[in-house]
Amino acid sequence: MQTKLEKISVQTRGIGHFAEITEEIAAAVARAGVREGIALVRSRHTTAAITCNEPDPRLHVDMKDAVYATFPTSRSYRHIEEGAENAVAHLATAMLFGESTWVPVRNGRVDVGTWQHVYLVELYEPRLREVDVAILGE
Amino acid sequence: MQTKLEKISVQTRGIGHFAEITEEIAAAVARAGVREGIALVRSRHTTAAITCNEPDPRLHVDMKDAVYATFPTSRSYRHIEEGAENAVAHLATAMLFGESTWVPVRNGRVDVGTWQHVYLVELYEPRLREVDVAILGE
Amino acid sequence: MQTKLEKISVQTRGIGHFAEITEEIAAAVARAGVREGIALVRSRHTTAAITCNEPDPRLHVDMKDAVYATFPTSRSYRHIEEGAENAVAHLATAMLFGESTWVPVRNGRVDVGTWQHVYLVELYEPRLREVDVAILGE
């Protein structure tokens, strides 16, 4: 049984970019040499989230639209120094998508469901983001 | 220290069915023989979520109603081939409930809070769903 | 490789209190003597959540306001014995913030991103709350 911690870097293109990281997680699992175990995944940011869903770009636009329908930029926010979009990015990260998940490792591979892909969701602006990956197993 | 991965099958009854899986998780922990550790739980689907809450059927109806109040089917969605309910199921899984959680194992038992029960939440239609359970500990 | 389970007690001040627990998690990690690994964190309640965000009290008020904008107390709820605020507390815990997360441990320290602090979010009333912390690693 071992523990391996890695960081993945992800360059995002701006609000609503779903940057897929499934392959990067799989590569970290392969480097760790774990055959049976788990990989825990988390964003190191408060305006970029982690989510698991279908690789349909239209669904990702639906999700971006749903963020702004739920938390309109036209509302008054107190955390306003960097604009309403920044406040909404914080709310969407903590209250909608969340910043962490986990995936199983079976036979040395990331074994998620048929339609599940793992994404870093950029909620603020184009940035170089970091994702923690912890791999535990044998 | 060991890692054990299992899958639980759950037949759901349709949108808004909270299928309790606390006992199934406890059974997987017992089979693993872990006395002190953790069980990580996740849905293998993008239209069925995992949540932890009180076993009050009226609360579960409140939650179903809250899904549709937050993401009305009357809105225009782009991911629309399987109907607006399917788009809403994706949004509710990824943005409201989430697909994963974890519970502690103490003295060989799943040790959650007094009011906490673990559920697979069906958000689309009656289906046979799968839940990953990873048990780590001693 | 070892597993250590702890409980942290947190006295909250009422709805919308973000009780920071980052230091308490760090202390549990230090007691466990783990240098490289993970700490999993979860609330043992259905009306108090766990979240990770920026230590700006104005942002926390924005989040409290966002809870009630998303799930107004003026709506009719079925889980109503303890008042609409209690129903909203359940919805916000399960559907907005969630009850669990994890953080990496590097060089014996909780290593989160620059702006990330871990909070128990009180969503109902002043209470003595309990948080599970599981530390795994070497």
Side-chain angles (χ1 to χ4, degrees):
Chain A
M1 180 87 182
Q2 57 163 298
T3 314
K4 181 86 181 293
L5 288 176
E6 294 221 14
K7 282 183 196 172
I8 292 170
S9 292
V10 186
Q11 177 62 53
T12 68
R13 295 194 300 264
I15 292 181
H17 178 202
F18 282 65
E20 181 160 0
I21 55 172
T22 319
E23 285 310 307
E24 285 77 2
I25 297 166
V29 166
R31 282 193 295 275
V34 165
R35 302 285 306 166
E36 196 82 0
I38 58 170
L40 293 99
V41 182
R42 68 185 289 281
S43 165
R44 293 179 64 80
H45 307 278
T46 53
T47 56
I50 297 291
T51 194
C52 186
N53 60 62
E54 199 171 324
D56 175 1
R58 293 164 306 157
L59 179 60
H60 301 166
V61 177
D62 285 338
M63 289 184 169
K64 178 189 172 181
D65 290 350
V67 166
Y68 288 100
T70 309
F71 302 134
T73 51
S74 56
R75 273 190 205 149
S76 288
Y77 296 103
R78 286 174 177 79
H79 181 84
I80 201 64
E81 294 75 11
E82 297 166 88
E85 280 80 5
N86 184 262
V88 171
H90 283 288
L91 300 189
T93 300
M95 302 176 70
L96 294 179
F97 294 105
E99 83 290 331
S100 68
T101 193
W102 74 277
V103 294
V105 176
R106 293 185 172 98
N107 298 315
R109 301 192 316 126
V110 170
D111 177 41
V112 290
T114 310
W115 299 103
Q116 292 185 314
H117 291 236
V118 185
Y119 296 92
L120 175 91
V121 188
E122 178 58 67
L123 289 155
Y124 186 41
E125 62 182 9
R127 284 208 184 162
L128 186 61
R129 301 295 198 172
E130 285 191 317
V131 175
D132 285 311
V133 182
I135 301 138
L136 289 87
E138 292 167 82
Chain B
M1 180 88 180
Q2 57 163 297
T3 314
K4 181 87 181 293
L5 288 176
E6 294 220 15
K7 282 183 195 172
I8 293 170
S9 292
V10 186
Q11 177 63 53
T12 67
R13 295 194 301 263
I15 292 181
H17 178 202
F18 281 65
E20 181 161 1
I21 55 171
T22 319
E23 285 311 307
E24 285 78 1
I25 298 165
V29 166
R31 281 192 297 275
V34 164
R35 302 287 305 167
E36 196 82 359
I38 58 170
L40 292 99
V41 181
R42 70 186 287 282
S43 165
R44 292 179 65 81
H45 306 279
T46 54
T47 55
I50 297 291
T51 195
C52 187
N53 59 62
E54 198 171 324
D56 174 2
R58 292 165 305 156
L59 179 60
H60 302 166
V61 177
D62 285 338
M63 289 184 170
K64 179 189 173 181
D65 290 350
V67 165
Y68 288 100
T70 309
F71 302 134
T73 51
S74 56
R75 274 191 203 147
S76 289
Y77 296 103
R78 288 174 177 78
H79 181 84
I80 200 66
E81 296 75 11
E82 297 166 270
E85 281 80 7
N86 185 261
V88 171
H90 283 287
L91 301 190
T93 300
M95 302 176 71
L96 294 179
F97 294 105
E99 83 290 333
S100 68
T101 193
W102 74 277
V103 293
V105 176
R106 293 186 171 98
N107 298 317
R109 301 192 317 126
V110 170
D111 177 41
V112 290
T114 310
W115 300 102
Q116 292 185 312
H117 292 236
V118 185
Y119 296 91
L120 175 91
V121 188
E122 178 58 67
L123 289 155
Y124 186 41
E125 62 183 10
R127 284 207 183 163
L128 186 61
R129 301 294 198 173
E130 284 192 317
V131 175
D132 285 310
V133 181
I135 301 138
L136 288 88
E138 293 167 81
Chain C
M1 181 87 181
Q2 58 163 298
T3 314
K4 182 85 181 294
L5 288 175
E6 295 221 14
K7 282 183 196 171
I8 293 170
S9 293
V10 186
Q11 177 62 53
T12 67
R13 294 194 300 262
I15 292 180
H17 177 202
F18 282 65
E20 181 160 1
I21 55 172
T22 320
E23 285 310 307
E24 285 77 1
I25 298 165
V29 166
R31 281 193 296 274
V34 165
R35 302 286 305 167
E36 197 81 0
I38 58 171
L40 292 98
V41 181
R42 69 185 287 281
S43 165
R44 293 178 64 80
H45 307 278
T46 54
T47 55
I50 296 291
T51 195
C52 187
N53 60 62
E54 198 171 323
D56 174 2
R58 292 163 307 157
L59 179 60
H60 303 166
V61 176
D62 286 337
M63 289 183 169
K64 178 189 173 183
D65 290 350
V67 166
Y68 288 100
T70 310
F71 303 134
T73 51
S74 55
R75 275 191 202 147
S76 288
Y77 296 103
R78 287 173 176 78
H79 181 85
I80 200 65
E81 295 75 10
E82 297 166 89
E85 280 80 6
N86 185 262
V88 172
H90 283 287
L91 301 189
T93 300
M95 302 176 70
L96 294 179
F97 294 104
E99 83 290 331
S100 67
T101 193
W102 73 277
V103 293
V105 176
R106 293 185 172 99
N107 299 316
R109 301 191 318 126
V110 170
D111 178 41
V112 290
T114 310
W115 299 103
Q116 291 185 315
H117 291 236
V118 185
Y119 297 91
L120 175 92
V121 189
E122 178 59 67
L123 289 155
Y124 186 42
E125 61 182 10
R127 283 206 184 164
L128 186 61
R129 301 294 199 173
E130 284 192 317
V131 175
D132 284 311
V133 182
I135 301 138
L136 288 87
E138 294 168 83

